[in-house]
Amino acid sequence: MDYNFDEIIDRRGSGSVKWDLVPDALPMWIADMDFRVAPEIREAVQKRLDHGIFGYQLLPDDYYDAIAGWFSRRHGWTGIKKEQVIATTGVIAAYSACLKAFTVPGDKVIVQTPCYNAFFPAIRNNKCEELHNPLIYRDGTYSIDWDDLELKAKEPRAKVFLLCNPQNPAGRVWTREELTRIGEICLRNGLVVVSDEIHCELTYPGHDYTPFATLPDEISFNSAVCCSPTKAFNIAGIQIANVIARDPEKVKKIDRAINDNECCDVNVFGVASLIAAYTKGEAWLDALRKYLRANAEFVYDFLRRELPGVRALPLEGTYLMWLDLRSAKHPDEPLDGFSERFARHLTEKAGLLMSTGTIYGPSGEGFERLNIACPRKTLEEGLRRLKKGYQSY
């Protein structure tokens, strides 16, 4: 089946956070897509809608079978059992519950900055402290500072490593070797790995996603994986996610925390959507990934021709491009605060809204995040506005 990802859909006035929060700017910031949902998901939601009653939802066996079948087929993650899966309203709720399960107030949580900005309030809301393991930025890409990680993992109050796999906003897809080394360090120092894998379906050739739960038993049993079809299938507003853990004791603790956090009841349309996505959505997803990869190439080509001073980091996964914009900074202008000043200028003078680099931690200074999950014409217009804002700064 052909899918029309070039279709322009007017989202203004629909209550969209992305489009209606700042109505005078072209939004290329928050991570949702401007593509119509897969027809198989729409049909499943319509069928559920036609039933006409939307009471409290039990999870059918089909729900668990869909999860197990999908991850086995697509990612070699076999043996997922019903009793290992805990459903919740979203991945943020999922890892927040994991933090509650594995920490007490005053504990420390390791994050690799720049990292997903919602990690920070989840840590603080659980009365814990951030412990930054900044990624090393060199030659236009990021790598892990292993010496620093070893040091931080030895902190007496460090109890959880909150991982982003694939990494948002830098677009890295961690290799099996990197994940194994992270797992070994955490195991050796008594830290549980909580892995946010919501972007797992959105990887590109040469960069395969490795589920943390497929690592050797002693490592994977020391982890909890938070996953959801909402990012890849553009159904974030439907609210459905899962935590999967192999260790029964960890499952009990997470289940208790999810109930304590009152986020244990799931959306009836979310259940229908997940089953449809994982059993019928494969062709749509494969077509989407090809389109997104072509969008990334379009960005690289545009920057080479029109804005050679701007560097877009290699996009291994996600649909979020991390742009190094420090060349726009005036020679006598301090780097501190540059990202916020540039983002404000971009919105006010060029009508383009991107995500400010420093919301992902101090190491995001000088960067901005660009959402390329949109029709090509929208992307082209966004890049023209970026050029205007860059040249007028």
Side-chain angles (χ1 to χ4, degrees):
M1 182 184 291
D2 291 330
Y3 304 101
N4 185 12
F5 296 110
D6 287 320
E7 179 186 9
I8 304 290
I9 301 168
D10 185 5
R11 299 181 64 189
R12 299 270 190 208
S14 67
S16 163
V17 171
K18 182 178 185 179
W19 284 86
D20 290 336
L21 190 64
V22 185
D24 296 329
L26 181 64
M28 303 185 78
W29 62 297
I30 197 169
D32 77 8
M33 299 189 278
D34 294 324
F35 305 127
R36 201 178 296 278
V37 170
E40 295 82 2
I41 295 176
R42 299 202 304 273
E43 289 166 9
V45 171
Q46 186 63 56
K47 182 179 178 180
R48 188 65 186 82
L49 178 66
D50 290 342
H51 182 267
I53 298 176
F54 318 120
Y56 296 113
Q57 174 74 55
L58 286 173
L59 294 177
D61 287 342
D62 288 353
Y63 182 87
Y64 300 101
D65 292 343
I67 295 167
W70 176 267
F71 282 101
S72 177
R73 285 195 317 277
R74 296 283 294 195
H75 307 299
W77 180 359
T78 58
I80 297 176
K81 298 178 176 62
K82 177 178 179 178
E83 57 268 22
Q84 297 171 342
V85 179
I86 307 166
T88 185
T89 54
V91 162
I92 294 175
Y95 62 67
S96 180
C98 289
L99 294 179
K100 188 181 186 73
F102 303 131
T103 66
V104 296
D107 282 347
K108 296 184 178 182
V109 177
I110 297 177
V111 292
Q112 294 178 311
T113 51
C115 67
Y116 179 39
N117 54 300
F119 280 6
F120 304 130
I123 293 168
R124 292 192 293 268
N125 290 343
N126 280 284
K127 298 181 175 57
C128 293
E129 299 176 22
E130 304 158 19
L131 195 55
H132 291 203
N133 169 226
L135 298 172
I136 297 171
Y137 181 58
R138 183 182 297 129
D139 298 327
T141 191
Y142 283 97
S143 60
I144 295 171
D145 187 335
W146 296 108
D147 291 338
D148 182 73
L149 180 55
E150 290 274 10
L151 185 66
K152 300 291 172 57
K154 288 182 172 63
E155 288 262 354
R157 298 295 291 179
K159 299 300 179 184
V160 168
F161 183 103
L162 187 51
L163 174 68
C164 201
N165 172 40
Q167 213 275 349
N168 171 20
R172 275 296 317 276
V173 176
W174 303 119
T175 65
R176 181 171 292 275
E177 292 72 25
E178 288 170 319
L179 293 173
T180 300
R181 190 170 176 183
I182 288 171
E184 290 170 344
I185 292 170
C186 290
L187 190 63
R188 194 162 58 244
N189 290 281
L191 281 77
V192 177
V193 176
V194 176
S195 186
D196 173 356
E197 302 187 358
I198 195 171
H199 291 275
C200 68
E201 310 302 341
L202 301 169
T203 62
Y204 305 108
H207 304 285
D208 293 333
Y209 153 66
T210 301
F212 201 89
T214 64
L215 300 180
D217 284 353
E218 66 273 16
I219 293 174
S220 61
F221 267 77
N222 188 47
S223 71
V225 170
C226 306
C227 57
S228 170
T230 57
K231 196 66 66 180
F233 289 94
N234 201 28
I235 51 174
I238 287 182
Q239 299 288 300
I240 191 75
N242 299 285
V243 188
I244 307 176
R246 297 185 64 195
D247 178 3
E249 289 305 311
K250 288 183 175 57
V251 171
K252 289 179 185 177
K253 289 182 178 181
I254 297 165
D255 187 53
R256 180 69 266 159
I258 281 178
N259 279 274
D260 286 348
N261 284 357
E262 307 289 358
C263 55
C264 51
D265 291 324
V266 294
N267 187 319
V268 295
F269 298 107
V271 173
S273 296
L274 180 145
I275 294 170
Y278 284 164
T279 59
K280 301 176 181 178
E282 207 151 353
W284 183 91
L285 179 63
D286 289 341
L288 169 73
R289 292 168 70 202
K290 289 179 181 177
Y291 192 89
L292 292 174
R293 185 66 230 175
N295 268 4
E297 293 301 329
F298 187 87
V299 173
Y300 294 133
D301 289 342
F302 182 93
L303 296 181
R304 277 193 293 267
R305 288 183 287 104
E306 306 290 339
L307 284 174
V310 177
R311 170 176 261 174
L313 274 64
L315 188 63
E316 299 175 0
T318 83
Y319 51 73
L320 307 162
M321 299 191 78
W322 191 234
L323 306 184
D324 184 347
L325 287 152
R326 290 174 298 173
S327 61
K329 187 176 71 66
H330 304 304
D332 57 348
E333 181 184 11
L335 181 60
D336 186 39
F338 165 74
S339 286
E340 188 172 338
R341 292 190 297 271
F342 183 83
R344 186 166 55 248
H345 170 85
L346 199 60
T347 302
E348 294 174 354
K349 303 301 181 182
L352 178 63
L353 182 61
M354 295 198 300
S355 294
T356 308
T358 45
I359 69 172
Y360 307 102
S363 57
E365 189 67 85
F367 295 79
E368 308 284 336
R369 195 188 74 173
L370 176 72
N371 180 346
I372 64 167
C374 58
R376 194 72 40 78
K377 285 186 178 179
T378 304
L379 179 60
E380 186 174 9
E381 175 61 24
L383 292 172
R384 282 198 293 265
R385 296 186 186 205
L386 174 61
K387 179 181 177 181
K388 177 182 177 182
Y390 180 92
Q391 293 181 336
S392 63
Y393 182 74

